[in-house]
Coordinates of all heavy atoms in Angstrom, one line a residue:
V1 N 28.4 76.0 113.0 CA 27.9 74.7 113.1 C 26.7 74.5 112.2 O 26.0 75.5 111.8 CB 27.4 74.4 114.6 CG1 28.5 74.3 115.6 CG2 26.3 75.4 115.0
S2 N 26.5 73.3 111.8 CA 25.3 73.0 111.0 C 24.6 71.8 111.7 O 25.2 71.0 112.3 CB 25.7 72.6 109.5 OG 26.6 71.5 109.5
G3 N 23.2 71.8 111.5 CA 22.5 70.7 112.2 C 21.1 70.6 111.5 O 20.6 71.5 110.8
G4 N 20.4 69.5 111.8 CA 19.1 69.3 111.2 C 18.0 69.8 112.0 O 17.7 69.3 113.1
L5 N 17.2 70.8 111.5 CA 15.9 71.1 112.0 C 14.9 70.3 111.2 O 13.8 70.1 111.8 CB 15.7 72.6 111.8 CG 14.3 73.1 112.1 CD1 13.9 72.8 113.6 CD2 14.3 74.7 112.0
E6 N 15.2 69.9 110.0 CA 14.4 69.1 109.2 C 13.0 69.8 108.9 O 13.0 71.0 108.6 CB 14.1 67.7 109.7 CG 15.4 67.0 110.3 CD 16.7 67.0 109.4 OE1 16.5 67.3 108.2 OE2 17.8 66.8 109.9
V7 N 11.9 69.2 109.3 CA 10.6 69.9 109.1 C 10.3 70.5 110.5 O 10.3 69.9 111.5 CB 9.5 68.9 108.8 CG1 8.2 69.7 108.7 CG2 9.8 68.2 107.5
A8 N 10.2 71.9 110.5 CA 10.0 72.6 111.7 C 8.6 72.4 112.2 O 7.8 73.3 112.1 CB 10.3 74.1 111.5
S9 N 8.3 71.2 112.7 CA 7.0 70.9 113.2 C 7.2 69.9 114.3 O 7.8 68.8 114.1 CB 6.2 70.2 112.0 OG 5.1 69.5 112.6
D10 N 6.7 70.2 115.4 CA 6.9 69.3 116.6 C 6.3 67.9 116.3 O 6.8 66.9 116.7 CB 6.4 69.9 117.9 CG 7.3 71.0 118.4 OD1 8.4 71.0 118.0 OD2 6.8 71.8 119.2
R11 N 5.1 67.9 115.7 CA 4.5 66.6 115.3 C 5.4 65.8 114.4 O 5.6 64.5 114.7 CB 3.2 66.8 114.6 CG 2.5 65.5 114.2 CD 1.2 65.7 113.4 NE 1.4 66.1 112.0 CZ 1.7 65.3 111.0 NH1 1.8 64.0 111.2 NH2 1.9 65.8 109.8
L12 N 5.9 66.4 113.4 CA 6.7 65.6 112.5 C 8.1 65.3 113.0 O 8.7 64.3 112.7 CB 6.9 66.4 111.1 CG 5.6 66.5 110.3 CD1 5.7 67.4 109.1 CD2 5.2 65.1 109.8
L13 N 8.7 66.2 113.8 CA 10.0 66.0 114.5 C 9.8 64.7 115.4 O 10.7 63.9 115.5 CB 10.4 67.2 115.3 CG 11.0 68.3 114.5 CD1 11.2 69.6 115.4 CD2 12.3 68.0 113.8
Q14 N 8.7 64.6 116.1 CA 8.4 63.4 116.9 C 8.3 62.1 116.1 O 8.8 61.1 116.4 CB 7.2 63.6 117.7 CG 7.0 62.6 118.8 CD 5.9 62.9 119.8 OE1 5.2 64.0 119.6 NE2 5.6 62.1 120.8
L15 N 7.6 62.3 114.9 CA 7.5 61.1 114.0 C 8.8 60.7 113.5 O 9.1 59.5 113.3 CB 6.5 61.5 112.9 CG 6.1 60.4 111.9 CD1 5.4 59.2 112.5 CD2 5.3 60.9 110.8
M16 N 9.7 61.7 113.2 CA 11.0 61.4 112.7 C 11.9 60.8 113.8 O 13.0 60.4 113.5 CB 11.7 62.7 112.2 CG 11.1 63.3 111.0 SD 12.0 64.9 110.7 CE 11.2 65.3 109.1
K17 N 11.5 60.9 115.1 CA 12.4 60.4 116.2 C 13.7 61.3 116.2 O 14.7 60.8 116.5 CB 12.7 59.0 116.1 CG 11.5 58.0 116.2 CD 11.9 56.6 116.2 CE 10.7 55.7 116.4 NZ 9.7 55.8 115.4
K18 N 13.5 62.6 115.9 CA 14.6 63.5 115.9 C 15.1 63.9 117.3 O 16.3 64.2 117.4 CB 14.2 64.8 115.2 CG 15.3 65.8 114.8 CD 16.2 65.3 113.8 CE 17.4 66.2 113.6 NZ 18.4 65.6 112.7
G19 N 14.3 63.8 118.3 CA 14.7 64.0 119.6 C 14.9 65.5 120.0 O 15.6 65.8 121.0
V20 N 14.3 66.4 119.2 CA 14.4 67.8 119.5 C 13.0 68.4 119.2 O 12.2 67.8 118.6 CB 15.5 68.5 118.7 CG1 16.9 68.0 118.9 CG2 15.1 68.5 117.2
S21 N 12.8 69.6 119.8 CA 11.6 70.4 119.4 C 12.0 71.7 118.8 O 13.2 72.1 118.9 CB 10.8 70.6 120.7 OG 11.5 71.5 121.6
V22 N 11.1 72.4 118.2 CA 11.4 73.6 117.6 C 11.9 74.6 118.6 O 12.8 75.4 118.4 CB 10.1 74.2 116.8 CG1 10.4 75.6 116.3 CG2 9.7 73.3 115.7
E23 N 11.2 74.7 119.8 CA 11.6 75.6 120.8 C 13.0 75.3 121.3 O 13.8 76.2 121.5 CB 10.6 75.5 122.0 CG 10.8 76.5 123.1 CD 9.7 76.5 124.1 OE1 8.5 76.2 123.7 OE2 9.9 76.8 125.3
Q24 N 13.4 74.0 121.4 CA 14.7 73.7 121.9 C 15.8 74.1 120.8 O 16.8 74.6 121.1 CB 14.8 72.2 122.1 CG 16.2 71.7 122.5 CD 16.2 70.2 122.7 OE1 15.3 69.6 123.3 NE2 17.2 69.5 122.1
V25 N 15.4 73.9 119.5 CA 16.4 74.3 118.5 C 16.6 75.8 118.5 O 17.7 76.3 118.3 CB 15.8 73.9 117.1 CG1 16.6 74.5 116.0 CG2 15.8 72.3 116.9
A26 N 15.5 76.5 118.8 CA 15.7 78.0 118.8 C 16.6 78.4 119.9 O 17.5 79.3 119.7 CB 14.3 78.7 119.1
R27 N 16.5 77.8 121.1 CA 17.4 78.1 122.2 C 18.8 77.8 122.0 O 19.8 78.5 122.3 CB 16.8 77.5 123.5 CG 15.5 78.1 124.0 CD 15.0 77.4 125.2 NE 13.8 78.0 125.7 CZ 13.0 77.5 126.6 NH1 13.2 76.3 127.0 NH2 11.9 78.2 127.0
V28 N 19.0 76.6 121.4 CA 20.4 76.1 121.2 C 21.1 77.0 120.1 O 22.2 77.4 120.3 CB 20.4 74.6 120.7 CG1 21.8 74.2 120.3 CG2 20.0 73.7 121.9
T29 N 20.3 77.2 119.0 CA 20.9 78.0 117.9 C 21.2 79.4 118.4 O 22.3 80.0 118.0 CB 20.1 78.0 116.7 OG1 18.7 78.4 117.1 CG2 19.9 76.6 116.1
R30 N 20.3 80.0 119.2 CA 20.6 81.3 119.7 C 21.8 81.4 120.6 O 22.6 82.3 120.6 CB 19.4 81.8 120.4 CG 19.5 83.3 120.9 CD 19.8 84.3 119.7 NE 20.0 85.6 120.2 CZ 19.0 86.5 120.2 NH1 17.8 86.2 119.9 NH2 19.2 87.7 120.7
G31 N 22.0 80.3 121.4 CA 23.2 80.2 122.2 C 24.5 80.2 121.4 O 25.5 80.9 121.7
F32 N 24.5 79.5 120.2 CA 25.7 79.6 119.3 C 25.8 80.9 118.8 O 26.9 81.5 118.7 CB 25.5 78.5 118.2 CG 26.0 77.1 118.6 CD1 25.0 76.1 118.9 CD2 27.3 76.9 118.8 CE1 25.5 74.9 119.2 CE2 27.7 75.6 119.2 CZ 26.8 74.6 119.4
T33 N 24.7 81.5 118.3 CA 24.8 82.9 117.6 C 25.3 83.9 118.7 O 26.2 84.7 118.3 CB 23.4 83.3 117.2 OG1 23.0 82.4 116.1 CG2 23.5 84.7 116.5

């Protein structure tokens, strides 16, 4: 799978309206791995 982490910064992810956090990305990606 491929997906956008974009800028790994919770402040900037919120500004981007990405709807994810760095911690959440870590857990999801580890689930796939």
Side-chain angles (χ1 to χ4, degrees):
V1 293
S2 55
L5 173 55
E6 318 311 345
V7 178
S9 156
D10 286 339
R11 178 184 75 83
L12 291 171
L13 287 170
Q14 190 171 3
L15 184 61
M16 290 177 177
K17 298 182 174 64
K18 188 69 185 174
V20 299
S21 66
V22 176
E23 188 170 325
Q24 178 181 312
V25 169
R27 290 175 175 167
V28 171
T29 53
R30 184 57 182 269
F32 276 108
T33 297

